[in-house]
């Protein structure tokens, strides 16, 4: 796993756990890099409330032309979680993403080890 695990806030009455969110986000991929967004270290913050999940995430490059598609894909995946009726995805650029945020598995997959 990455050393840069996302922070999490979970409402006491939520049935979803951060691990559930992470698991579903592993199905979302950066359109230009064949690694999921979790192992790339793009997820910064997870907020879980009853029936809603909000995320703060970044992209590998400022001005990414695929930002809207990535946000839609992430939101669609979050809405597959049981009991989740709404989801928000906020793209942030602080802290700036760098390859050091990637998990060891991602580095191996991309031949960076």
């Amino acid at each position: 796993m990455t050393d840069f695990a996302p922070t999490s806030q979970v409402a006491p009455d939520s049935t979803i756990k951060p691990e559930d969110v992470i698991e579903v986000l592993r199905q979302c991929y950066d359109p230009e890099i064949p690694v999921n967004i979790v192992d790339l270290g793009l997820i910064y913050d997870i907020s879980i409330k009853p029936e809603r999940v909000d995320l703060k995430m970044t992209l590998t490059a400022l001005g990414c032309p695929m930002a809207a598609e990535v946000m839609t894909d992430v939101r669609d995946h979050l809405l597959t979680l049981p009991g989740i009726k709404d989801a928000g995805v906020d793209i942030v650029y602080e802290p700036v993403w760098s390859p050091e945020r990637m998990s060891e598995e991602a580095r191996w997959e991309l031949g960076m080890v």
Side-chain angles (χ1 to χ4, degrees), residues 47-83:
S47 177
I48 304 170
K49 301 171 186 146
E51 300 183 353
R52 182 176 175 92
V53 174
D54 289 291
L55 298 186
K56 287 185 182 174
M57 65 173 290
T58 195
L59 301 169
T60 56
L62 290 171
C64 174
M66 300 297 290
E69 288 83 358
V70 171
M71 290 174 70
T72 298
D73 184 45
V74 169
R75 185 175 186 279
D76 289 349
H77 276 83
L78 292 171
L79 291 173
T80 68
L81 290 162

Side-chain angles (χ1 to χ4, degrees), residues 32-48:
E32 297 177 339
I33 304 172
V35 175
N36 71 69
I37 63 173
V38 173
D39 287 332
L40 281 175
L42 300 180
I43 307 303
Y44 289 172
D45 185 71
I46 301 168
S47 177
I48 304 170

Side-chain angles (χ1 to χ4, degrees), residues 6-8 13-14 21 24-28 30 34 40-41 45-46 54 60 72 77 84 97 105-106:
T7 59
S8 302
D13 52 347
S14 176
V21 174
V24 78
L25 292 177
R26 287 189 187 280
Q27 300 170 25
C28 299
D30 181 290
L40 281 175
D45 185 71
I46 301 168
D54 289 291
T60 56
T72 298
H77 276 83
I84 297 301
W97 180 86
E105 292 87 359

Side-chain angles (χ1 to χ4, degrees), residues 15-25 48 78 81-82:
T15 59
I16 300 294
K17 298 179 183 102
E19 302 82 41
D20 302 325
V21 174
I22 294 293
E23 183 178 330
V24 78
L25 292 177
I48 304 170
L78 292 171
L81 290 162

